[in-house]
């Protein structure tokens, strides 16, 4: 290569040089192009075309360089000239497509390929179909992307790039039934095609046919025991079937054959949580958080596992970690407030619940929790003040009506509270649980129980 470049330098400077044939010029042009020396590459191709004016290959190389320098119309003119010299070079059609795409003329780009694909066989036809799929994608003709990949796989069923792509486009377009038929046909002819088995599994999974999906994934991993995505999807299918032990087993297999990922640890933690094995759940959530330390949701999952065991102190520590990452989360302030209430730390609880309302004053959930916090802390009159503020902001919601009834009864205005409760029961009889959630002891009032019982009998 050094010798060729030196000969080219001699040619440029008008010094004595060895004869450069067409192949040598191609190597020089490619060298400069690969090293991002476009001016030198263009200079080399000009010299080359001077010596070999009827070389379609050199014209195509110059067109490619012109496309890189955004001289699209010049490139198109050269491509027309190259087509006269040699219309059987696949690069001609790919470069024309690139020009039209760069000029945002998707219809012309697609037409170039559609009209000429039939001229080619073997790998060339496959390459043009892949190129056409990319054109449709850029054009946002997503159904045509699927159609094109389907045609390609009927022609070349073991093409890995097409198999990978159609997996995504099946999910994107929702054409799972067609994908099942296509991949079943491929498997009938090529039973050891692990990607076809995998795609069959994802299509079944898209239709929520999880047992059939698992069967397909098991064939995929039998053919390729290190097929990590098959283990991942199989784990997801088992989780949907609530077969958590089986899900854990295949997700552990994923960890054996692939680099550890936070989502896999998180999924295993989820399985243990569903099985109420909270120590193991927290262990895997922590492993996930070590890989993704800025994912606040993982700390919340750890906290909720502690909350289920009523371990409020440790739950608070995890929630504080989450809040350090996401300071504006209304949800985290609410959950922290709930935990502090459980510990009787009313001041801290009300601080976080007030923050939730401040951050999102349009949230009925935030107001509800603040009012509840004040009520539980014994600040019943302040709870009434905040209830008025909530209704002024959000209107009369069912939960506020039941809360008003409880607060009125709580401050000794029993008659007024019962009238409010009756009004709430008339309008929202099914939501009486909101009253009991706020204060279970209210059911010790005989008149409250009789009133609720009367509306239940009516319903």
């Amino acid at each position: 290569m050094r010798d060729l470049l030196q000969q080219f330098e001699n040619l440029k400077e008008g010094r004595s040089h060895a004869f450069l044939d067409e192949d040598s010029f191609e190597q020089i042009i490619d060298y400069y192009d690969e090293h991002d020396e476009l001016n030198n590459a263009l200079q080399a191709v000009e010299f080359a075309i001077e010596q070999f004016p009827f070389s379609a290959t050199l014209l195509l190389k110059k067109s490619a360089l012109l496309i890189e320098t955004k001289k699209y119309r010049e490139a198109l003119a050269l491509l027309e000239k190259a087509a006269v010299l040699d219309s059987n070079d696949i690069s001609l059609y790919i470069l024309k497509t690139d020009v039209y795409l760069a000029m945002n003329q998707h219809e012309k780009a697609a037409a170039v390929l559609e009209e000429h694909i039939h001229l080619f066989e073997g790998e060339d036809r496959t390459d043009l179909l892949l190129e056409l799929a990319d054109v449709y994608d850029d054009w946002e003709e997503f159904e045509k992307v699927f159609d094109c990949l389907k045609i390609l796989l009927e022609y070349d069923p073991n093409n890995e790039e097409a198999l990978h792509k159609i997996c995504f486009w099946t999910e994107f377009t929702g054409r799972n039934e067609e994908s099942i038929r296509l991949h079943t046909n491929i498997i009938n002819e090529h039973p050891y095609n692990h990607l076809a088995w995998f795609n069959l599994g994802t299509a079944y999974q898209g239709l929520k046919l999880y047992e059939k999906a698992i069967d397909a994934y098991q064939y995929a991993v039998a053919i390729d025991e290190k097929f990590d995505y098959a283990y991942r999807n199989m784990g997801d299918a088992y989780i949907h079937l609530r077969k958590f032990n089986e899900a854990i087993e295949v997700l552990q297999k994923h960890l054996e054959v692939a680099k550890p990922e936070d989502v896999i640890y998180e999924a295993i933690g989820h399985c243990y949580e569903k099985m109420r094995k909270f120590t193991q759940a927290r262990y895997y959530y922590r492993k996930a958080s070590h890989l993704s330390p800025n994912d606040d949701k993982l700390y919340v999952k750890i906290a909720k596992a502690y909350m289920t065991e009523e371990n409020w102190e440790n739950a608070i520590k995890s929630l504080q970690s989450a809040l350090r990452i996401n300071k504006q989360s209304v949800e985290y302030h609410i959950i922290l407030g709930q935990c502090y209430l459980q510990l009787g730390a009313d001041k801290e609880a009300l601080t976080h619940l007030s923050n939730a309302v401040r951050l999102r004053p349009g949230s009925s959930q935030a107001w509800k929790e603040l009012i509840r916090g004040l009520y539980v802390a014994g600040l019943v009159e302040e709870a009434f003040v905040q209830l008025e503020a909530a209704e002024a902001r959000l209107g009369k919601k069912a939960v506020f009506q039941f809360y008003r009834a409880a607060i009125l009864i709580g401050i000794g205005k029993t008659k007024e509270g019962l009238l409010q409760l009756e009004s709430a029961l008339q309008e929202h009889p099914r939501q009486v649980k909101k009253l009991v959630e706020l204060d279970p002891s209210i059911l010790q009032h005989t008149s409250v129980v009789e009133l609720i019982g009367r509306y239940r009998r009516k319903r």
Side-chain angles (χ1 to χ4, degrees):
M1 196 69 236
R2 277 197 302 272
D3 289 342
L4 285 177
L5 293 172
Q6 185 57 57
Q7 294 304 326
F8 179 61
E9 285 300 316
N10 292 342
L11 170 64
K12 284 198 298 180
E13 299 297 327
R15 294 195 295 266
S16 172
H17 61 87
F19 175 73
L20 291 169
D21 60 17
E22 187 176 342
D23 183 61
S24 298
F25 271 116
E26 286 178 31
Q27 290 182 61
I28 293 165
I29 295 160
D30 291 342
Y31 174 86
Y32 284 132
D33 188 21
E34 286 162 15
H35 288 77
D36 293 324
E37 297 181 37
L38 282 180
N39 287 335
N40 282 332
L42 281 163
Q43 205 172 8
V45 82
E46 291 290 358
F47 275 108
I49 290 171
E50 264 183 47
Q51 290 194 33
F52 305 99
F54 302 108
S55 168
T57 303
L58 291 171
L59 292 175
L60 292 173
K61 285 195 177 294
K62 185 176 179 183
S63 302
L65 293 169
L66 288 171
I67 292 168
E68 285 187 59
T69 54
K70 297 183 170 55
K71 295 177 179 175
Y72 303 124
R73 300 211 175 274
E74 287 180 48
L76 204 53
L78 269 184
L79 289 169
E80 296 299 339
K81 189 175 177 183
V84 174
L85 296 169
D86 182 4
S87 61
N88 295 316
D89 190 327
I90 185 175
S91 301
L92 172 67
Y93 304 105
I94 290 175
L95 288 170
K96 270 193 176 181
T97 302
D98 290 343
V99 172
Y100 286 128
L101 285 178
M103 295 167 72
N104 209 30
Q105 296 180 12
H106 294 87
E107 195 167 351
K108 287 185 177 179
V112 166
L113 298 170
E114 289 165 348
E115 289 167 17
H116 296 96
I117 282 170
H118 70 278
L119 300 175
F120 297 89
E121 294 295 332
E123 284 185 23
D124 285 347
R125 179 178 286 194
T126 296
D127 288 344
L128 288 177
L129 282 164
L130 285 169
E131 186 78 14
L132 181 57
D134 287 343
V135 171
Y136 288 139
D137 181 6
D138 200 59
W139 195 5
E140 298 188 0
E141 291 283 347
F142 301 131
E143 298 293 337
K144 287 185 177 181
V145 179
F146 182 92
D147 292 336
C148 186
L149 292 169
K150 183 181 172 187
I151 291 166
L152 194 164
L153 285 167
E154 287 167 347
Y155 177 74
D156 183 5
N158 289 314
N159 185 274
E160 290 197 7
E161 187 176 349
L163 286 164
H164 282 298
K165 285 185 173 182
I166 204 166
C167 183
F168 168 81
W169 288 106
T170 298
E171 184 181 357
F172 190 89
T173 59
R175 290 166 70 172
N176 292 295
E177 293 89 345
E178 285 177 75
S179 183
I180 289 167
R181 287 193 294 272
L182 171 67
H183 289 97
T184 300
N185 290 337
I186 292 172
I187 289 162
N188 288 339
E189 294 295 321
H190 305 276
Y192 295 102
N193 186 326
H194 65 290
L195 289 172
W197 279 110
F198 176 78
N199 289 356
L200 181 63
T202 61
Y204 278 129
Q205 200 156 352
L207 295 172
K208 297 185 167 64
L209 299 171
Y210 297 114
E211 291 91 346
K212 288 187 173 183
I214 289 165
D215 287 343
Y217 295 138
Q218 285 174 336
Y219 277 107
V221 297
I223 298 162
D224 178 3
E225 61 180 18
K226 293 188 177 180
F227 195 172
D228 53 332
Y229 280 97
Y231 291 116
R232 179 198 296 256
N233 280 19
M234 205 189 314
D236 183 65
Y238 276 126
I239 288 169
H240 277 95
L241 293 172
R242 302 187 66 78
K243 293 184 175 181
F244 300 116
N245 280 319
E246 291 87 343
I248 290 167
E249 186 179 337
V250 296
L251 291 170
Q252 292 282 13
K253 188 69 181 173
H254 182 285
L255 292 172
E256 290 173 22
V257 301
K259 186 180 176 183
E261 291 182 60
D262 55 338
V263 290
I264 303 299
Y265 285 133
E266 185 180 349
I268 295 172
H270 172 79
C271 292
Y272 278 119
E273 186 178 343
K274 290 295 182 181
M275 295 163 70
R276 303 190 68 76
K277 295 182 177 179
F278 299 112
T279 303
Q280 292 97 318
R282 288 191 293 270
Y283 172 77
Y284 281 99
Y285 287 148
R286 281 199 186 90
K287 286 182 83 71
S289 71
H290 291 153
L291 292 177
S292 187
N294 293 319
D295 187 346
D296 46 304
K297 293 181 179 64
L298 289 169
Y299 294 103
V300 176
K301 286 177 183 285
I302 294 168
K304 287 183 176 177
Y306 277 126
M307 288 168 71
T308 311
E309 294 179 328
E310 299 186 2
N311 187 339
W312 309 111
E313 291 92 344
N314 281 326
I316 286 167
K317 288 177 187 174
S318 290
L319 286 165
Q320 286 171 336
S321 296
L323 201 57
R324 277 194 290 273
I325 298 166
N326 184 358
K327 294 179 176 62
Q328 303 301 309
S329 173
V330 172
E331 179 196 358
Y332 302 167
H333 281 293
I334 289 172
I335 303 171
L336 263 168
Q338 292 168 342
C339 289
Y340 278 120
L341 278 178
Q342 291 289 342
L343 291 174
D346 298 338
K347 184 180 176 183
E348 292 86 348
L350 294 173
T351 297
H352 284 289
L353 296 172
S354 298
N355 284 341
V357 170
R358 178 179 55 77
L359 286 166
R360 195 178 298 162
S363 166
S364 58
Q365 177 71 12
W367 280 104
K368 186 187 86 166
E369 291 297 333
L370 175 59
I371 295 161
R372 177 178 168 277
L374 290 163
Y375 186 92
V376 170
L379 303 170
V380 185
E381 290 184 359
E382 180 60 23
F384 192 80
V385 170
Q386 294 303 324
L387 176 62
E388 296 273 299
E391 287 190 326
R393 176 90 191 191
L394 303 172
K396 291 190 180 297
K397 294 187 176 291
V399 63
F400 295 154
Q401 289 179 262
F402 284 106
Y403 277 17
R404 182 182 288 274
I407 291 168
L408 287 167
I409 294 167
I411 59 177
K413 296 184 178 180
T414 307
K415 187 175 180 182
E416 196 178 337
L418 289 170
L419 286 170
Q420 177 63 42
L421 177 57
E422 186 168 17
S423 174
L425 286 166
Q426 284 173 345
E427 293 179 40
H428 312 284
R430 293 180 182 277
Q431 296 204 43
V432 68
K433 62 184 179 183
K434 304 290 185 187
L435 178 76
V436 182
E437 284 170 5
L438 177 66
D439 185 2
S441 68
I442 204 164
L443 293 177
Q444 292 173 7
H445 289 259
T446 308
S447 50
V448 170
V449 174
E450 286 176 357
L451 189 57
I452 293 171
R454 195 187 317 154
Y455 276 89
R456 277 188 174 157
R457 284 193 296 277
K458 280 184 183 178
R459 204 174 74 205

